[in-house]
PDB file of all heavy atoms in Angstrom:
ATOM      1  N   LEU B  24     -65.296  72.803 -40.700  1.00  0.00           N
ATOM      2  CA  LEU B  24     -66.784  72.874 -40.615  1.00  0.00           C
ATOM      3  C   LEU B  24     -67.300  74.269 -40.626  1.00  0.00           C
ATOM      4  O   LEU B  24     -68.452  74.498 -40.920  1.00  0.00           O
ATOM      5  CB  LEU B  24     -67.221  72.070 -39.375  1.00  0.00           C
ATOM      6  CG  LEU B  24     -67.335  70.557 -39.524  1.00  0.00           C
ATOM      7  CD1 LEU B  24     -67.728  69.887 -38.265  1.00  0.00           C
ATOM      8  CD2 LEU B  24     -68.393  70.265 -40.612  1.00  0.00           C
ATOM      9  N   ASN B  25     -66.482  75.281 -40.202  1.00  0.00           N
ATOM     10  CA  ASN B  25     -67.081  76.575 -40.169  1.00  0.00           C
ATOM     11  C   ASN B  25     -67.076  77.238 -41.508  1.00  0.00           C
ATOM     12  O   ASN B  25     -67.528  78.363 -41.687  1.00  0.00           O
ATOM     13  CB  ASN B  25     -66.208  77.468 -39.170  1.00  0.00           C
ATOM     14  CG  ASN B  25     -64.775  77.475 -39.528  1.00  0.00           C
ATOM     15  OD1 ASN B  25     -64.394  77.000 -40.680  1.00  0.00           O
ATOM     16  ND2 ASN B  25     -63.913  77.978 -38.678  1.00  0.00           N
ATOM     17  N   LYS B  26     -66.727  76.530 -42.603  1.00  0.00           N
ATOM     18  CA  LYS B  26     -66.839  77.039 -43.947  1.00  0.00           C
ATOM     19  C   LYS B  26     -68.245  76.677 -44.512  1.00  0.00           C
ATOM     20  O   LYS B  26     -68.536  77.109 -45.614  1.00  0.00           O
ATOM     21  CB  LYS B  26     -65.840  76.428 -44.857  1.00  0.00           C
ATOM     22  CG  LYS B  26     -64.420  76.884 -44.528  1.00  0.00           C
ATOM     23  CD  LYS B  26     -63.353  76.167 -45.371  1.00  0.00           C
ATOM     24  CE  LYS B  26     -61.992  76.578 -44.949  1.00  0.00           C
ATOM     25  NZ  LYS B  26     -61.011  75.618 -45.534  1.00  0.00           N
ATOM     26  N   ILE B  27     -69.072  75.985 -43.760  1.00  0.00           N
ATOM     27  CA  ILE B  27     -70.380  75.708 -44.243  1.00  0.00           C
ATOM     28  C   ILE B  27     -71.199  77.012 -44.246  1.00  0.00           C
ATOM     29  O   ILE B  27     -71.244  77.750 -43.256  1.00  0.00           O
ATOM     30  CB  ILE B  27     -71.134  74.662 -43.296  1.00  0.00           C
ATOM     31  CG1 ILE B  27     -70.377  73.374 -43.372  1.00  0.00           C
ATOM     32  CG2 ILE B  27     -72.539  74.545 -43.661  1.00  0.00           C
ATOM     33  CD1 ILE B  27     -70.872  72.396 -42.402  1.00  0.00           C
ATOM     34  N   PRO B  28     -71.862  77.345 -45.393  1.00  0.00           N
ATOM     35  CA  PRO B  28     -72.647  78.559 -45.404  1.00  0.00           C
ATOM     36  C   PRO B  28     -73.828  78.540 -44.473  1.00  0.00           C
ATOM     37  O   PRO B  28     -74.404  77.443 -44.244  1.00  0.00           O
ATOM     38  CB  PRO B  28     -73.071  78.667 -46.889  1.00  0.00           C
ATOM     39  CG  PRO B  28     -73.043  77.304 -47.350  1.00  0.00           C
ATOM     40  CD  PRO B  28     -71.966  76.618 -46.635  1.00  0.00           C
ATOM     41  N   ASN B  29     -74.132  79.650 -43.934  1.00  0.00           N
ATOM     42  CA  ASN B  29     -75.262  79.742 -43.043  1.00  0.00           C
ATOM     43  C   ASN B  29     -76.593  79.875 -43.820  1.00  0.00           C
ATOM     44  O   ASN B  29     -76.809  80.889 -44.500  1.00  0.00           O
ATOM     45  CB  ASN B  29     -75.100  80.971 -42.101  1.00  0.00           C
ATOM     46  CG  ASN B  29     -76.207  81.015 -41.092  1.00  0.00           C
ATOM     47  OD1 ASN B  29     -76.954  80.096 -40.919  1.00  0.00           O
ATOM     48  ND2 ASN B  29     -76.346  82.123 -40.394  1.00  0.00           N
ATOM     49  N   GLN B  30     -77.405  78.816 -43.815  1.00  0.00           N
ATOM     50  CA  GLN B  30     -78.553  78.823 -44.691  1.00  0.00           C
ATOM     51  C   GLN B  30     -79.690  79.651 -44.104  1.00  0.00           C
ATOM     52  O   GLN B  30     -80.708  79.859 -44.809  1.00  0.00           O
ATOM     53  CB  GLN B  30     -79.066  77.437 -44.928  1.00  0.00           C
ATOM     54  CG  GLN B  30     -79.886  76.763 -43.891  1.00  0.00           C
ATOM     55  CD  GLN B  30     -79.029  76.077 -42.839  1.00  0.00           C
ATOM     56  OE1 GLN B  30     -77.856  76.329 -42.720  1.00  0.00           O
ATOM     57  NE2 GLN B  30     -79.638  75.207 -42.082  1.00  0.00           N
ATOM     58  N   PHE B  31     -79.605  80.128 -42.879  1.00  0.00           N
ATOM     59  CA  PHE B  31     -80.693  80.868 -42.298  1.00  0.00           C
ATOM     60  C   PHE B  31     -80.726  82.322 -42.800  1.00  0.00           C
ATOM     61  O   PHE B  31     -81.756  83.011 -42.569  1.00  0.00           O
ATOM     62  CB  PHE B  31     -80.603  80.871 -40.766  1.00  0.00           C
ATOM     63  CG  PHE B  31     -80.538  79.508 -40.231  1.00  0.00           C
ATOM     64  CD1 PHE B  31     -79.540  79.091 -39.396  1.00  0.00           C
ATOM     65  CD2 PHE B  31     -81.530  78.529 -40.554  1.00  0.00           C
ATOM     66  CE1 PHE B  31     -79.479  77.830 -38.893  1.00  0.00           C
ATOM     67  CE2 PHE B  31     -81.488  77.293 -40.043  1.00  0.00           C
ATOM     68  CZ  PHE B  31     -80.475  76.914 -39.194  1.00  0.00           C
ATOM     69  N   GLU B  32     -79.663  82.803 -43.407  1.00  0.00           N
ATOM     70  CA  GLU B  32     -79.626  84.262 -43.716  1.00  0.00           C
ATOM     71  C   GLU B  32     -80.269  84.599 -45.064  1.00  0.00           C
ATOM     72  O   GLU B  32     -80.414  85.776 -45.387  1.00  0.00           O
ATOM     73  CB  GLU B  32     -78.197  84.729 -43.687  1.00  0.00           C
ATOM     74  CG  GLU B  32     -77.343  84.117 -44.749  1.00  0.00           C
ATOM     75  CD  GLU B  32     -75.809  84.340 -44.439  1.00  0.00           C
ATOM     76  OE1 GLU B  32     -75.508  84.733 -43.302  1.00  0.00           O
ATOM     77  OE2 GLU B  32     -75.027  84.172 -45.381  1.00  0.00           O
ATOM     78  N   TYR B  33     -80.664  83.512 -45.831  1.00  0.00           N
ATOM     79  CA  TYR B  33     -81.242  83.850 -47.156  1.00  0.00           C
ATOM     80  C   TYR B  33     -82.761  84.122 -47.010  1.00  0.00           C
ATOM     81  O   TYR B  33     -83.462  83.328 -46.360  1.00  0.00           O
ATOM     82  CB  TYR B  33     -81.075  82.694 -48.116  1.00  0.00           C
ATOM     83  CG  TYR B  33     -79.632  82.367 -48.376  1.00  0.00           C
ATOM     84  CD1 TYR B  33     -79.023  81.189 -47.984  1.00  0.00           C
ATOM     85  CD2 TYR B  33     -78.744  83.338 -48.957  1.00  0.00           C
ATOM     86  CE1 TYR B  33     -77.650  80.915 -48.166  1.00  0.00           C
ATOM     87  CE2 TYR B  33     -77.443  83.096 -49.142  1.00  0.00           C
ATOM     88  CZ  TYR B  33     -76.887  81.894 -48.783  1.00  0.00           C
ATOM     89  OH  TYR B  33     -75.604  81.634 -48.954  1.00  0.00           O
ATOM     90  N   ALA B  34     -83.230  85.175 -47.586  1.00  0.00           N
ATOM     91  CA  ALA B  34     -84.632  85.586 -47.339  1.00  0.00           C
ATOM     92  C   ALA B  34     -85.549  84.818 -48.310  1.00  0.00           C
ATOM     93  O   ALA B  34     -86.687  84.501 -47.982  1.00  0.00           O
ATOM     94  CB  ALA B  34     -84.803  87.066 -47.519  1.00  0.00           C
ATOM     95  N   ASN B  35     -85.047  84.501 -49.531  1.00  0.00           N
ATOM     96  CA  ASN B  35     -85.967  83.843 -50.504  1.00  0.00           C
ATOM     97  C   ASN B  35     -85.368  82.504 -50.955  1.00  0.00           C
ATOM     98  O   ASN B  35     -85.117  82.239 -52.093  1.00  0.00           O
ATOM     99  CB  ASN B  35     -86.088  84.781 -51.769  1.00  0.00           C
ATOM    100  CG  ASN B  35     -87.085  85.900 -51.530  1.00  0.00           C
ATOM    101  OD1 ASN B  35     -88.133  85.611 -50.997  1.00  0.00           O
ATOM    102  ND2 ASN B  35     -86.747  87.030 -51.998  1.00  0.00           N
ATOM    103  N   SER B  36     -85.241  81.663 -49.970  1.00  0.00           N
ATOM    104  CA  SER B  36     -84.719  80.339 -50.271  1.00  0.00           C
ATOM    105  C   SER B  36     -85.830  79.432 -50.608  1.00  0.00           C
ATOM    106  O   SER B  36     -87.048  79.768 -50.597  1.00  0.00           O
ATOM    107  CB  SER B  36     -83.892  79.797 -49.083  1.00  0.00           C
ATOM    108  OG  SER B  36     -84.788  79.691 -47.984  1.00  0.00           O
ATOM    109  N   ILE B  37     -85.515  78.136 -50.989  1.00  0.00           N
ATOM    110  CA  ILE B  37     -86.542  77.165 -51.353  1.00  0.00           C
ATOM    111  C   ILE B  37     -87.336  76.837 -50.133  1.00  0.00           C
ATOM    112  O   ILE B  37     -88.492  76.354 -50.185  1.00  0.00           O
ATOM    113  CB  ILE B  37     -85.877  75.973 -52.060  1.00  0.00           C
ATOM    114  CG1 ILE B  37     -86.909  75.090 -52.664  1.00  0.00           C
ATOM    115  CG2 ILE B  37     -85.063  75.169 -51.027  1.00  0.00           C
ATOM    116  CD1 ILE B  37     -86.291  74.134 -53.641  1.00  0.00           C
ATOM    117  N   TYR B  38     -86.771  76.983 -48.929  1.00  0.00           N
ATOM    118  CA  TYR B  38     -87.501  76.719 -47.696  1.00  0.00           C
ATOM    119  C   TYR B  38     -88.710  77.583 -47.619  1.00  0.00           C
ATOM    120  O   TYR B  38     -89.844  77.195 -47.286  1.00  0.00           O
ATOM    121  CB  TYR B  38     -86.557  76.980 -46.446  1.00  0.00           C
ATOM    122  CG  TYR B  38     -87.280  77.180 -45.154  1.00  0.00           C
ATOM    123  CD1 TYR B  38     -87.863  76.051 -44.535  1.00  0.00           C
ATOM    124  CD2 TYR B  38     -87.324  78.393 -44.597  1.00  0.00           C
ATOM    125  CE1 TYR B  38     -88.523  76.257 -43.320  1.00  0.00           C
ATOM    126  CE2 TYR B  38     -88.029  78.609 -43.380  1.00  0.00           C
ATOM    127  CZ  TYR B  38     -88.652  77.539 -42.826  1.00  0.00           C
ATOM    128  OH  TYR B  38     -89.315  77.698 -41.605  1.00  0.00           O
ATOM    129  N   HIS B  39     -88.479  78.903 -47.944  1.00  0.00           N
ATOM    130  CA  HIS B  39     -89.635  79.834 -47.839  1.00  0.00           C
ATOM    131  C   HIS B  39     -90.690  79.545 -48.910  1.00  0.00           C
ATOM    132  O   HIS B  39     -91.898  79.677 -48.679  1.00  0.00           O
ATOM    133  CB  HIS B  39     -89.175  81.252 -47.948  1.00  0.00           C
ATOM    134  CG  HIS B  39     -88.316  81.659 -46.815  1.00  0.00           C
ATOM    135  ND1 HIS B  39     -86.930  81.604 -46.873  1.00  0.00           N
ATOM    136  CD2 HIS B  39     -88.637  82.102 -45.554  1.00  0.00           C
ATOM    137  CE1 HIS B  39     -86.438  82.028 -45.732  1.00  0.00           C
ATOM    138  NE2 HIS B  39     -87.463  82.346 -44.950  1.00  0.00           N
TER     139      HIS B  39
END
Side-chain angles (χ1 to χ4, degrees):
Chain B
L24 279 176
N25 56 12
K26 293 174 186 168
I27 295 173
N29 183 13
Q30 80 272 19
F31 303 126
E32 64 194 16
Y33 300 116
N35 279 318
S36 62
I37 192 164
Y38 161 75
H39 294 96

